[in-house]
Amino acid sequence: MAQFMDVHEGFVGVTTEQLSEAHDADLAIEAAEGVHFAHAWIDSASGKVWCLSTGPSKEAVMRVHERAGHPTAEVYEITGEV
Amino acid sequence: MAQFMDVHEGFVGVTTEQLSEAHDADLAIEAAEGVHFAHAWIDSASGKVWCLSTGPSKEAVMRVHERAGHPTAEVYEITGEV
């Protein structure tokens, strides 16, 4: 099981409640891909969102986000953390 | 006290031990700016690093990173998290 950081753009003005709804949409379907979205952070001024997840592959992470309605191609595999 | 996500580029091939040393360099001087670097993640293939911190301003976060030897201009204020 690997860990991933993915990045979304375009979430300008999105509230924490809306972020939570988007996150819940991931959680509702992630199990089919063996993915778990653990955490998400938003900067609603720039519209950037970062999601930290675990899963079998970048592609699995991308499929969950796409099916949940917020696709991104920018997914990075974490090789270390402190 | 606000929360920030900052992004570094160019850390290709950097090990977790080296990331930990860089993080320790931040921790050693962060108090002077009222900043705390809580967590960092690296993708050593793309060379990207994400740091999550708390502090009084983006500029304070930037000053700590610059003095520790790894400046970045890409610092975002977190407006929400789940």
Side-chain angles (χ1 to χ4, degrees):
Chain A
M1 191 66 71
Q3 190 175 22
F4 301 91
M5 183 75 84
D6 68 71
V7 187
H8 303 259
E9 309 272 355
F11 282 66
V12 175
V14 167
T15 65
T16 303
E17 185 177 347
Q18 290 169 319
L19 179 69
S20 184
E21 289 171 2
H23 184 61
D24 287 346
D26 290 319
L27 298 183
I29 62 169
E30 65 184 14
E33 293 283 357
V35 168
H36 176 56
F37 284 95
H39 216 103
W41 299 267
I42 183 169
D43 168 17
S44 63
S46 68
K48 285 184 176 272
V49 173
W50 298 267
C51 300
L52 193 67
S53 65
T54 53
S57 68
K58 286 184 188 181
E59 291 72 21
V61 171
M62 290 168 69
R63 281 193 294 269
V64 176
H65 269 342
E66 183 170 6
R67 287 176 195 151
H70 37 258
T72 181
E74 203 179 341
V75 183
Y76 302 92
E77 183 167 344
I78 298 301
T79 58
E81 65 176 307
V82 293
Chain B
M1 191 67 67
Q3 188 175 25
F4 301 91
M5 183 76 83
D6 67 73
V7 187
H8 302 259
E9 308 273 354
F11 283 65
V12 175
V14 166
T15 66
T16 303
E17 186 178 348
Q18 290 169 319
L19 178 70
S20 184
E21 289 171 1
H23 184 61
D24 287 346
D26 289 320
L27 298 183
I29 62 169
E30 65 184 14
E33 293 283 358
V35 168
H36 176 56
F37 285 95
H39 216 102
W41 299 268
I42 184 170
D43 168 17
S44 63
S46 68
K48 284 183 176 275
V49 173
W50 299 267
C51 300
L52 192 67
S53 65
T54 53
S57 68
K58 287 185 189 181
E59 291 72 22
V61 170
M62 290 168 70
R63 281 193 294 269
V64 175
H65 268 343
E66 184 171 4
R67 288 176 194 150
H70 37 258
T72 181
E74 204 179 341
V75 184
Y76 302 93
E77 183 165 344
I78 298 303
T79 57
E81 67 176 301
V82 295

